[in-house]
Amino acid sequence: MIIFAKKSMKSGRGILAVMGLSLVLGLFASCVSNTPDHDGTNFPADSSTYTILGRVSIGGTSKANGYIKLLEEAQRKYPECDDVVNIIVDAHQTFFQRLFRTGNYNLSGIAIDYKDM
């Protein structure tokens, strides 16, 4: 690319081509999308067997997140927490992160306490 730029610098079109290519690559690299990735929106059937404690959420890379991390956060926030239900996963990715399936993920859910446990 540098050789191409040096050869075509003699004409004004070369500078414009390099600037245009840089602009296009910069736009693709800076586009960030927040999209729903997955959800498991279900509560246990019998609502008399549990108490809703509140919403919990965590964020981080895809390798660092998961149900266990979400449950640990829920138990830190609500010590009597037994389970996290109604889990929603949102992806926060740039254009290139989407191509390589990397990026940050936010998990959120509802912490509940089972009454009979």
Side-chain angles (χ1 to χ4, degrees), residues 25-96:
L25 289 175
L27 287 175
F28 279 124
S30 65
C31 289
V32 176
S33 63
N34 292 316
T35 57
D37 191 53
H38 182 74
D39 67 359
T41 53
N42 54 355
F43 278 89
D46 186 10
S47 63
S48 66
T49 61
Y50 62 89
T51 303
I52 295 175
L53 301 173
R55 179 163 290 281
V56 292
S57 61
I58 59 171
T61 63
S62 60
K63 294 177 183 174
N65 278 347
Y67 172 77
I68 299 298
K69 296 282 187 185
L70 188 60
L71 181 61
E72 288 171 355
E73 176 64 21
Q75 289 173 339
R76 185 191 64 73
K77 191 172 180 181
Y78 306 104
E80 65 275 10
C81 175
D82 294 320
D83 196 5
V84 179
V85 296
N86 203 28
I87 298 172
I88 299 172
V89 181
D90 292 321
H92 179 81
Q93 300 170 316
T94 64
F95 174 79
F96 290 114

